[in-house]
Amino acid sequence: MQQRITLADIAEQAGVSTATVSRVLNGKSNVAEATRRQVLVALDLLGYERPESLRQTSKGLVGLIVPELTNPIFPLYAQEIEQLLAPSGHTPLLCTQTPGGTSEDEYIEMLVDRGVAGIIFVSGRHSDTGGDVTRYQRLRDRGVPLVTINGNASTIKVPGFATDDRAASRMAVDHLASLGHTRIGLAIGPGRMVPAQRKRAGYEDGMHANLPDQPLRIVETLYTYEGGASAAARLLEQDCTGIICGSDIMALGVISGVRAAGKTVPQDVSVIGYDDSPLIPMTNPPLTTVRQPVAAICRAAVTTLLSAIGGEQPADTELLFTPDLIVRGSTAPAPHTMVS
Amino acid sequence: MQQRITLADIAEQAGVSTATVSRVLNGKSNVAEATRRQVLVALDLLGYERPESLRQTSKGLVGLIVPELTNPIFPLYAQEIEQLLAPSGHTPLLCTQTPGGTSEDEYIEMLVDRGVAGIIFVSGRHSDTGGDVTRYQRLRDRGVPLVTINGNASTIKVPGFATDDRAASRMAVDHLASLGHTRIGLAIGPGRMVPAQRKRAGYEDGMHANLPDQPLRIVETLYTYEGGASAAARLLEQDCTGIICGSDIMALGVISGVRAAGKTVPQDVSVIGYDDSPLIPMTNPPLTTVRQPVAAICRAAVTTLLSAIGGEQPADTELLFTPDLIVRGSTAPAPHTMVS
């Protein structure tokens, strides 16, 4: 190795003594696995190359199939899952999709051909109520352990882990209603997908409970910034003063749409996102949003997958995780109605 | 297939006739490849499952090794590269790193074992001037085509593609100097890495040209939000009114550090980031930053890798791409000095 490693820096970062760092770097065996890992993490954080002695043998590949990386919630899921997989010694293989690129089925085939130990699906075909569900059954018939994240269609029998989307929209409606909003709209993605269906149900629950006389105002669009901007235009035509969105990116699009219509957020229109990820608190205004419990979902999904890889038979049920409403600056009391 | 596909929707999204969509979906051969791909992209964008007839056979795996996904520039690189790889029929395999997880060398081994067609390294060990460079030579000796993105150490002989980091810092200094700032600081990552060295050189160029009497104010820290916040404290002690950062995430940390010190951005302190990615224009204030020419870099890298996979011998040189200074709201004229 050509690099000079400063033992003191690594020891400080790892929170261990320099003697311990030295023992780990020299591959001595009298070090606890957790301590060894702490030193490994410190080396990585400081950007040092790992000595050969710390090279690990992979316990097998774990495929991680996600839709795309432009919505920051997906990199967040991927990063969290990989971090949780690390101590198990499995090598994560991230399969991301781009329009016109490799499809979920093509990835599955490639992973199975390469002897994958298990697969985690994030927002995959499993949540498409109009899709073919046999691929998951076929995978299990071939003995490939799998778990899903973000909503199983009712026809699919695999362990699933998801944010309680119905509760998410319900808390968003409750929040806007408590601020005096009555004309509340919902901008969501394609209705074939389980998360959109659940969000719609939660919105309906909330409207019936809080504002039974108000019509439902729902726009189905794409889960993108542009989708949000176009939904805003249609919801403003219906005089909405509060808009609940299916994703944060969509909410940022809604904010741009509201501004394009000459109105301000949150004075004229309150906007609530969904997902939350590290940059979202820094938007202008800071976005009020429903935070997916990413860490808890990933922990449950990874633990279940690893136990299935270990030969156990996890239950084919879906666990729902309760999200948190994070109130920031994009929601405010409803504007006073000027018309009598 | 259980889904109902609306031909008209797909035709509209793809910008072709419904008859063409129908021909593509039914696997007819009298359709140009570009048109077929347009329909494929439209299906994907609308979230429809692809019919079996459109299933593609992979032309081989391409490994894409990136450092981590928490800095949004890396998902952006990954997404762009995958999009550019798609028409070639290769299957991208994204290998991302987490502290303590699978290392670059372990990924390389796994990819080579699985018969990878080629590898793209983004901000890998190739930019560590203190690291072991033989891994890249060994890979080439084994006949694995590779290209790198984001700065080759001078000892490494592989085709490289990078933003001109020296020019980037130079334009940042010029911008601040033109606004009347004199006490300008630089917050960058570990100095072993080529991009940090180049950014430092550009900062020095700019200071010597614009403000030869001023001392250099440089803080080396981690490329993180927290790293930025701590760098801000140290640069404010040196009375900086302008701070240039090694990444946007670091710049957002600097802004939080400036605010923690009771000062405002940009009135008291101007801050310039580096990278630019889709959420950055939405920060508060919108971040002035130096934009990496991601699309151009990825196009060159992918084209070169594919030609190497095709048997050509690309030159072992590094191409530098000129970035753009994107002036937004985090920079302003220097505050008037209150002391005489």
Side-chain angles (χ1 to χ4, degrees):
Chain A
M1 265 195 341
Q2 300 172 33
Q3 65 188 342
R4 276 169 305 144
I5 297 192
T6 314
L7 290 185
D9 289 354
I10 300 169
E12 193 193 339
Q13 179 76 37
V16 301
S17 70
T18 52
T20 301
V21 172
S22 166
R23 276 202 301 276
V24 171
L25 294 185
N26 291 310
K28 294 281 163 61
S29 56
N30 57 341
V31 185
E33 174 55 25
T35 311
R36 207 186 70 89
R37 184 155 295 278
Q38 264 170 285
V39 173
L40 211 70
V41 170
L43 273 178
D44 290 351
L45 283 174
L46 295 172
Y48 285 115
E49 193 157 342
R50 293 193 203 155
E52 283 278 351
S53 57
L54 293 179
R55 190 81 46 96
Q56 304 173 99
T57 313
S58 174
K59 295 281 198 313
L61 301 181
V62 169
L64 178 51
I65 303 188
V66 301
E68 40 92 9
L69 296 175
T70 50
N71 181 339
I73 194 69
F74 296 124
L76 189 63
Y77 266 112
Q79 186 79 9
E80 187 73 25
I81 290 170
E82 298 198 354
Q83 218 131 31
L84 289 162
L85 272 176
S88 78
H90 286 87
T91 304
L93 269 193
L94 188 50
C95 305
T96 69
Q97 294 163 65
T98 54
T102 307
S103 71
E104 183 172 320
D105 283 332
E106 290 158 4
Y107 273 126
I108 291 175
E109 212 174 293
M110 181 276 295
L111 288 169
V112 172
D113 284 352
R114 262 85 183 173
V116 75
I119 306 180
I120 300 178
F121 292 87
V122 180
S123 296
R125 286 277 149 218
H126 56 86
S127 67
D128 185 348
T129 57
D132 175 11
V133 301
T134 58
R135 62 170 65 81
Y136 301 103
Q137 198 46 55
R138 281 198 309 270
L139 265 178
R140 299 192 69 178
D141 294 346
R142 292 162 84 170
V144 180
L146 61 152
V147 298
T148 71
I149 288 178
N150 272 357
N152 276 347
S154 58
T155 43
I156 290 184
K157 299 283 171 270
V158 294
F161 305 89
T163 300
D164 187 340
D165 284 310
R166 186 165 184 161
S169 305
R170 173 64 197 261
M171 39 181 89
V173 176
D174 288 350
H175 173 57
L176 289 176
S178 76
L179 289 168
H181 293 270
T182 55
R183 298 183 304 278
I184 298 173
L186 177 70
I188 41 170
R192 286 193 325 279
M193 302 298 174
V194 170
Q197 292 180 353
R198 290 180 178 163
K199 286 189 183 104
R200 185 186 189 118
Y203 165 76
E204 290 176 2
D205 293 347
M207 291 302 287
H208 292 152
N210 291 286
L211 300 157
D213 299 334
Q214 283 288 330
L216 301 177
R217 298 169 170 95
I218 302 175
V219 172
E220 267 188 31
T221 175
L222 296 183
Y223 276 115
T224 58
Y225 186 86
E226 293 73 21
S230 91
R234 286 152 68 192
L235 290 169
L236 290 179
E237 278 170 16
Q238 299 174 59
D239 298 317
C240 286
T241 64
I243 299 178
I244 297 166
C245 307
S247 79
D248 289 340
I249 299 297
M250 212 180 222
L252 295 173
V254 164
I255 291 175
S256 85
V258 168
R259 288 176 179 158
K263 292 174 180 278
T264 57
V265 176
Q267 291 76 10
D268 300 318
V269 181
S270 286
V271 178
I272 302 186
Y274 175 84
D275 283 337
D276 207 30
S277 54
L279 286 185
I280 294 302
M282 300 167 202
T283 56
N284 179 23
L287 193 67
T288 294
T289 191
V290 181
R291 179 187 290 165
Q292 291 205 54
V294 172
I297 290 175
C298 292
R299 206 174 309 119
V302 168
T303 306
T304 303
L305 185 77
L306 290 176
S307 79
I309 291 174
E312 290 182 43
Q313 278 282 12
D316 286 341
T317 48
E318 190 177 25
L319 283 186
L320 299 184
F321 292 73
T322 307
D324 292 310
L325 176 74
I326 310 292
V327 178
R328 298 196 183 103
S330 66
T331 47
H336 293 291
T337 308
M338 289 305 157
V339 292
S340 63
Chain B
M1 267 197 338
Q2 298 171 34
Q3 64 187 341
R4 273 171 307 146
I5 296 192
T6 314
L7 290 187
D9 288 354
I10 301 169
E12 193 192 340
Q13 180 74 39
V16 301
S17 69
T18 53
T20 301
V21 173
S22 166
R23 274 201 303 274
V24 171
L25 295 185
N26 291 311
K28 296 280 164 62
S29 57
N30 56 340
V31 184
E33 174 55 26
T35 310
R36 207 186 69 90
R37 183 153 294 278
Q38 263 169 287
V39 172
L40 211 70
V41 169
L43 272 178
D44 290 349
L45 282 175
L46 295 172
Y48 286 114
E49 195 157 341
R50 294 193 203 157
E52 283 280 349
S53 58
L54 293 180
R55 189 80 47 96
Q56 304 173 100
T57 312
S58 173
K59 296 280 199 313
L61 301 181
V62 169
L64 178 52
I65 302 186
V66 301
E68 39 92 10
L69 295 175
T70 51
N71 182 339
I73 193 71
F74 296 125
L76 189 65
Y77 266 112
Q79 186 80 9
E80 187 72 26
I81 290 170
E82 298 198 354
Q83 218 131 31
L84 289 162
L85 272 176
S88 78
H90 286 87
T91 304
L93 269 193
L94 187 51
C95 304
T96 69
Q97 294 164 67
T98 56
T102 306
S103 70
E104 183 172 320
D105 284 331
E106 290 159 3
Y107 273 126
I108 292 175
E109 211 172 294
M110 181 276 296
L111 288 170
V112 172
D113 285 352
R114 262 86 184 171
V116 76
I119 305 180
I120 300 178
F121 293 86
V122 181
S123 295
R125 287 275 150 219
H126 56 86
S127 67
D128 185 347
T129 56
D132 174 12
V133 301
T134 58
R135 62 170 66 81
Y136 302 103
Q137 197 47 55
R138 282 199 308 270
L139 265 178
R140 300 193 68 178
D141 293 346
R142 292 161 85 171
V144 180
L146 61 153
V147 298
T148 71
I149 287 177
N150 271 358
N152 276 346
S154 58
T155 43
I156 290 184
K157 300 282 170 272
V158 294
F161 305 89
T163 300
D164 187 339
D165 284 309
R166 186 166 185 159
S169 305
R170 173 65 197 262
M171 40 181 87
V173 176
D174 288 349
H175 173 56
L176 289 175
S178 76
L179 290 168
H181 293 271
T182 55
R183 298 182 304 279
I184 298 172
L186 177 70
I188 40 170
R192 289 195 319 283
M193 303 296 175
V194 170
Q197 292 180 353
R198 291 180 178 163
K199 285 186 184 107
R200 185 185 190 116
Y203 165 77
E204 291 177 2
D205 293 347
M207 291 301 286
H208 292 153
N210 291 287
L211 301 156
D213 300 334
Q214 283 288 329
L216 302 178
R217 297 168 170 95
I218 302 176
V219 172
E220 269 189 30
T221 177
L222 296 181
Y223 276 114
T224 59
Y225 186 84
E226 294 73 22
S230 90
R234 287 152 68 192
L235 290 169
L236 290 179
E237 278 169 17
Q238 299 174 59
D239 298 318
C240 286
T241 63
I243 300 178
I244 298 166
C245 305
S247 79
D248 288 339
I249 299 297
M250 213 179 221
L252 295 173
V254 164
I255 291 175
S256 84
V258 168
R259 288 176 179 158
K263 292 174 180 277
T264 57
V265 176
Q267 291 76 10
D268 300 316
V269 180
S270 287
V271 178
I272 303 186
Y274 175 84
D275 282 338
D276 208 32
S277 53
L279 287 185
I280 295 301
M282 298 168 203
T283 56
N284 179 24
L287 193 67
T288 295
T289 191
V290 181
R291 179 186 291 165
Q292 290 205 54
V294 173
I297 290 175
C298 292
R299 205 173 310 118
V302 168
T303 307
T304 303
L305 185 76
L306 290 176
S307 79
I309 290 174
E312 290 183 43
Q313 279 282 14
D316 286 341
T317 47
E318 191 178 23
L319 283 187
L320 299 183
F321 292 73
T322 306
D324 292 311
L325 176 73
I326 309 292
V327 178
R328 298 195 183 105
S330 66
T331 47
H336 292 290
T337 308
M338 288 305 158
V339 291
S340 64

